[in-house]
């Protein structure tokens, strides 16, 4: 479904935030994109969504395709119409608007009748939002705001949903609720999910496959259960290491870069 091949993204013509990154998300698959702060995860999602230009970011090399269609160069709304939608970090709701008005904004690419159908579907997925439909979203809890942000993205009926740190700042129980919904969207509706998360343990627990980025590069990838058992991943991202200090993956002697996309 989604394929990135050797993608390079540069800010201000100077800062290379993503270097030769390649990844794939198939239909009905949950793919986790992990890595420490500044690794290039958000930039990758913005590149796929076509929203780099306000930050002077540009895709300088490689290819991004969705269902064999080139996404690079398309306007953000065309990418949404193609079926690829991002829930940005920090939710970015219209705080002054009600829950329902936020959802309406997410349905801008759909016909009125379709938007109505999608809204009922969103309320079905997040029953908690039904009684809050007239509440100004700025007054909601963090978890409820995240549900509205996901709901707003679902209004355009995406085939691929990308989420940038959806559980950031949320209590564990609320995070679990969000992860359950993500899993349901994938397993029941066949949606592809690209999930950027700081919480590697939780992300890999629901993911089928994972990629780990460092300094703009994909340095490791594999089936999620294998990554969960990988000693380096356990030490650097899951906090199971000895000695305390967080090393860089590149420093590990046994670490081998695996370029699956070249094989
Ligand atoms: P985080 O978890 O902190 O969001 P990340 O993995 O998502 O990290 P990015 O936000 O994609 O990383 O940042 C990748 C690199 O690009 C970093 O070095 C960052 O400083 C740089 N960068 C990000 N946004 C911009 C921007 N608008 N202008 C210039 N450099 C940027």
């Amino acid at each position: 479904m989604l394929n990135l091949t050797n993608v390079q993204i540069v800010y201000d013509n100077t800062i290379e935030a993503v270097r030769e990154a390649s990844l794939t998300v198939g239909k009905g698959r949950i793919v986790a994109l992990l890595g420490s702060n500044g690794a290039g995860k958000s930039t990758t999602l913005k590149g796929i969504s076509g929203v780099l230009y306000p930050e002077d970011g540009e895709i300088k090399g490689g290819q991004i395709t969705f269902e064999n269609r080139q996404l690079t160069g398309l306007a953000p709304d065309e990418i949404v119409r193609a079926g690829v939608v991002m829930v940005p970090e920090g939710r970015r709701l219209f705080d002054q608007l009600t829950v329902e008005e936020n959802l309406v904004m997410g349905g801008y690419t759909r016909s009125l009748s379709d938007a109505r159908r999608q809204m009922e579907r969103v309320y079905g997925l997040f029953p908690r939002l039904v009684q809050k439909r007239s509440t100004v979203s700025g007054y909601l809890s963090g978890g409820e705001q995240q549900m509205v942000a996901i709901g707003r993205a679902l209004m355009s009926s995406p085939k691929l949903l990308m989420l940038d740190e959806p559980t950031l700042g949320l209590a564990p129980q609320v995070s679990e609720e969000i992860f359950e919904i993500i899993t349901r969207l994938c397993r029941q509706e066949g949606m592809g999910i690209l999930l950027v998360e700081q919480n590697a343990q939780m992300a890999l627990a629901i993911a089928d496959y994972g990629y780990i980025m460092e300094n703009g590069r994909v340095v490791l990838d594999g089936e999620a259960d294998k990554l969960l058992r990988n000693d380096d991943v356990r030490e650097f991202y899951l906090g199971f290491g000895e000695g305390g200090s967080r090393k860089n993956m590149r420093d590990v002697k046994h670490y081998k870069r695996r370029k699956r996309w070249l094989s």
Side-chain angles (χ1 to χ4, degrees):
M1 204 161 48
L2 177 77
N3 276 297
L4 271 67
T5 315
N6 298 330
V7 170
Q8 183 201 25
I9 301 176
V10 175
Y11 286 109
D12 302 321
N13 266 319
T14 46
I15 302 157
E16 198 183 16
V18 174
R19 309 158 198 229
E20 290 180 44
S22 297
L23 63 83
T24 296
V25 185
K27 184 172 158 50
R29 298 267 288 173
I30 301 179
V31 174
L33 183 56
L34 309 171
S36 43
N37 288 329
K41 308 179 298 294
S42 299
T43 302
T44 302
L45 295 198
K46 287 176 191 170
I48 298 166
S49 315
V51 295
L52 286 164
Y53 65 91
E55 297 179 65
D56 263 334
E58 204 184 335
I59 298 170
K60 289 279 191 190
Q63 285 206 332
I64 302 177
T65 61
F66 181 70
E67 295 182 327
N68 300 320
R69 180 177 174 201
Q70 193 71 243
L71 291 190
T72 327
L74 292 187
D77 68 301
E78 291 176 304
I79 294 172
V80 169
R81 281 177 227 275
V84 178
V85 176
M86 170 170 70
V87 181
E89 189 180 339
R91 292 136 211 169
R92 307 274 169 92
L93 295 179
F94 302 102
D95 279 350
Q96 312 295 323
L97 300 187
T98 64
V99 167
E100 190 137 311
E101 286 163 346
N102 266 281
L103 295 181
V104 168
M105 298 300 268
Y108 73 101
T109 60
R110 317 301 293 190
S111 68
L112 196 56
S113 58
D114 191 29
R116 283 210 183 98
R117 245 195 328 273
Q118 295 304 331
M119 193 174 292
E120 288 318 309
R121 174 170 158 251
V122 169
Y123 285 133
L125 279 167
F126 300 107
R128 211 199 283 194
L129 296 184
V130 177
Q131 75 238 41
K132 304 261 176 172
R133 61 205 302 167
S134 304
T135 304
V136 170
S137 61
Y139 293 137
L140 298 174
S141 71
E144 288 163 349
Q145 288 187 358
Q146 187 61 64
M147 290 173 193
V148 177
I150 296 173
R152 187 179 56 183
L154 293 176
M155 286 294 292
S156 62
S157 198
K159 298 176 193 162
L160 176 78
L161 183 66
M162 304 190 290
L163 301 117
D164 197 348
E165 305 206 17
T167 67
L168 194 70
L170 301 185
Q173 210 180 334
V174 185
S175 302
E176 261 173 47
E177 221 175 301
I178 299 288
F179 275 30
E180 261 174 42
I181 294 288
I182 294 171
T183 310
R184 205 167 353 137
L185 288 171
C186 171
R187 306 288 176 239
Q188 289 179 3
E189 304 195 14
M191 206 176 282
I193 307 278
L194 180 56
L195 173 65
V196 166
E197 258 293 337
Q198 286 285 338
N199 190 334
Q201 176 88 53
M202 274 183 99
L204 287 174
I206 63 159
D208 299 296
Y209 202 85
Y211 292 86
I212 295 180
M213 286 188 89
E214 267 190 16
N215 297 320
R217 291 183 196 280
V218 173
V219 293
L220 187 67
D221 65 298
E223 297 294 331
D225 54 342
K226 283 209 183 108
L227 290 181
L228 272 170
R229 291 196 306 269
N230 179 297
D231 286 344
D232 299 336
V233 174
R234 288 171 69 82
E235 178 168 1
F236 301 124
Y237 296 103
L238 304 179
F240 293 113
E242 293 168 43
S245 77
R246 199 177 148 117
K247 284 185 268 168
N248 189 298
M249 283 283 254
R250 284 160 202 278
D251 300 334
V252 180
K253 239 198 285 179
H254 304 297
Y255 156 69
K256 286 196 193 106
R257 191 137 164 235
R258 294 163 52 210
K259 284 188 167 178
R260 296 183 72 257
W261 54 93
L262 290 180
S263 61

